Amino acid sequence: MASSKAKLGVNSETNSLKESNSSGGGPAGEASPNHRIYCLDDLETVATVGTGTFGRVFLVKDKKSRAFYALKQMKISDVIRLKQEQHVHNEKEVLTEVNHPFLIRLFWTHHDERFLYMLMDYVPGGELFSYLRSRGRFSNATGLFYTSEIVCAIEYLHSKEIVYRDLKPENILLDCEGHIRLTDFGFAKKLSDRTWTLCGTPEYLAPEVIQSKGHGRAVDWWALGILIFEMLAGYPPFFDDNPFGIYQKILAGKLEFPRHLDFYVKDLIKKFLVIDRARRLGNMKNGADDVKKHRWFKTIDWEAVPLRKLKPPIVPKVSHEGDTSNFDVYPEEDWKKDPPVPQKDLEIFKNF
């Protein structure tokens, strides 16, 4: 993938392990995939739709219901070697708890002697990243649509005391109608207070993460400011050839806007990219309500957004539910030949 953005926290899945969802119910109008008991033999692998540091995401077809899903498969040996055990457990915990039209759904988890498995929605429209790259940048109206849906997703996660920590175009999928679906919850975490782990993507890190001051849900609003800038400008506000150069620019906080940006969106971005998180929009006492009342959103009917009533600006070309044409093509090498991991390592994932 052409993304220049590498993740930190080792979980360098620049390719955002692809998962996604159609609205309501289960795929292909199935009653409720949540209540099925699955087994690997029921799932026929169709193609790889994403790769990462220690895993792959496969498009699979359920032989019983004929429905399509994304199966995220992670090598236990690599998860342990890269010290990602807690992130994997966090991802399962968070996805088990959430249910929102703009978030991926988790249906089943499993492990054997080599791999961890997570069965999720398959979202056939591909990454927002690829649409942004092919267009160069989005119009004000297009950026407004995606931002509105993301605001609702972040508000929902924060209401459950979950920080997402990995907002970027690679982790936003489009469903067949063009609505968003946030994916890759490897860095998401349930937070009662704050956390100190350095993780995320360099261009999107909030100052408090770089300074190891302890961070909380405010980092998601900072990242949204970066994302809006990148969607409308075609590049992120702070970039450099190496991460330390990026960090210096973030901490300096100097913003240079392209001329064509709307006055109100510039004001919104400035209010998200405030170094003092106590004064950062979205992180004050009225939370997401302050964001929704900003002038840039004056045309948005906030009640209609989570009902998916806004008209998507981009409708992906999807010929059928198992269409993979909106994802990169990956070589289907056989990577399942690893030896089984020792019993003591399996113990770490016994409840997975």
Side-chain angles (χ1 to χ4, degrees):
M1 160 146 222
S3 168
S4 61
K5 298 198 207 75
K7 277 196 189 175
L8 294 174
V10 188
N11 177 1
S12 177
E13 319 230 338
T14 37
N15 249 22
S16 151
L17 296 173
K18 321 291 191 273
E19 309 106 18
S20 200
N21 179 345
S22 54
S23 67
E30 191 189 357
S32 174
N34 293 61
H35 300 117
R36 266 278 310 279
I37 302 295
Y38 296 87
C39 76
L40 289 173
D41 289 343
D42 291 341
L43 304 171
E44 176 190 329
T45 302
V46 180
T48 300
V49 287
T51 60
T53 316
F54 48 81
R56 297 200 135 204
V57 177
F58 299 97
L59 169 64
V60 296
K61 188 174 189 177
D62 182 352
K63 294 171 187 171
K64 291 182 180 174
S65 68
R66 318 302 295 158
F68 290 96
Y69 297 97
L71 183 68
K72 182 171 177 173
Q73 187 170 334
M74 296 168 278
K75 286 186 183 179
I76 295 174
S77 55
D78 287 351
V79 171
I80 292 170
R81 180 173 58 82
L82 298 170
K83 299 184 169 54
Q84 296 297 299
E85 301 94 329
Q86 195 55 53
H87 282 150
V88 169
H89 284 302
N90 287 349
E91 180 169 20
K92 179 186 173 180
E93 182 195 1
V94 166
L95 286 175
T96 303
E97 189 178 328
V98 299
N99 180 20
H100 190 274
F102 300 143
L103 303 179
I104 209 75
R105 290 176 304 172
L106 174 67
F107 300 121
W108 176 68
T109 58
H110 177 67
H111 74 275
D112 54 26
E113 298 172 320
R114 295 175 175 84
F115 298 102
L116 304 172
Y117 302 91
M118 301 176 82
L119 188 69
M120 311 192 224
D121 291 302
Y122 174 61
V123 191
E127 299 173 357
L128 188 66
F129 175 84
S130 47
Y131 296 95
L132 181 55
R133 285 297 169 271
S134 66
R135 286 165 170 75
R137 65 179 195 232
F138 291 150
S139 68
N140 192 63
T142 298
L144 182 63
F145 169 86
Y146 294 125
T147 305
S148 302
E149 294 199 336
I150 293 161
V151 165
C152 290
I154 292 174
E155 178 183 33
Y156 171 80
L157 289 170
H158 290 185
S159 75
K160 293 191 160 289
E161 299 194 323
I162 292 163
V163 58
Y164 177 56
R165 297 199 294 185
D166 210 10
L167 192 63
K168 58 178 177 178
E170 294 91 326
N171 286 345
I172 300 162
L173 300 175
L174 298 189
D175 67 18
C176 56
E177 293 169 23
H179 293 283
I180 70 144
R181 195 74 58 170
L182 283 191
T183 188
D184 203 343
F185 280 71
F187 289 156
K189 188 175 183 181
K190 186 104 175 165
L191 273 193
S192 50
D193 181 24
R194 57 175 87 167
T195 185
W196 276 264
T197 322
L198 175 63
C199 63
T201 297
E203 288 90 339
Y204 278 73
L205 289 184
E208 61 267 28
V209 179
I210 296 166
Q211 294 170 321
S212 300
K213 286 183 169 176
H215 61 271
R217 294 184 287 273
V219 301
D220 288 337
W221 296 117
W222 174 281
L224 182 57
I226 303 284
L227 179 69
I228 297 168
F229 188 108
E230 181 167 0
M231 286 194 292
L232 299 181
Y235 54 87
F238 309 112
F239 63 91
D240 195 87
D241 290 337
N242 73 73
F244 292 102
I246 296 169
Y247 300 156
Q248 284 172 323
K249 290 177 180 178
I250 290 169
L251 296 176
K254 189 164 176 286
L255 275 173
E256 290 181 18
F257 291 102
R259 279 226 180 91
H260 70 271
L261 256 56
D262 168 269
F263 171 80
Y264 289 123
V265 82
K266 285 193 281 195
D267 181 70
L268 177 65
I269 292 167
K270 282 180 199 159
K271 287 182 165 134
F272 280 140
L273 302 184
V274 169
I275 291 193
D276 177 1
R277 59 198 150 168
R279 291 174 40 245
R280 191 175 303 157
L281 194 68
N283 197 47
M284 296 179 287
K285 76 173 190 324
N286 297 321
D289 283 343
D290 289 335
V291 177
K292 292 174 167 182
K293 287 181 177 137
H294 189 276
R295 289 281 294 169
W296 192 50
F297 297 110
K298 63 183 182 289
T299 59
I300 298 297
D301 173 358
W302 284 108
E303 288 186 5
V305 178
L307 298 174
R308 298 158 47 96
K309 287 185 175 173
L310 268 56
K311 187 173 186 293
I314 297 169
V315 179
K317 292 184 174 70
V318 176
S319 60
H320 60 98
E321 284 172 21
D323 189 348
T324 60
S325 61
N326 292 305
F327 291 105
D328 291 340
V329 176
Y330 299 90
E332 300 290 344
E333 78 261 17
D334 183 13
W335 64 302
K336 298 185 179 182
K337 291 175 180 163
D338 288 31
V341 298
Q343 190 59 39
K344 69 172 173 42
D345 290 349
L346 279 182
E347 275 298 302
I348 301 168
F349 299 105
K350 65 176 184 287
N351 296 320
F352 194 85

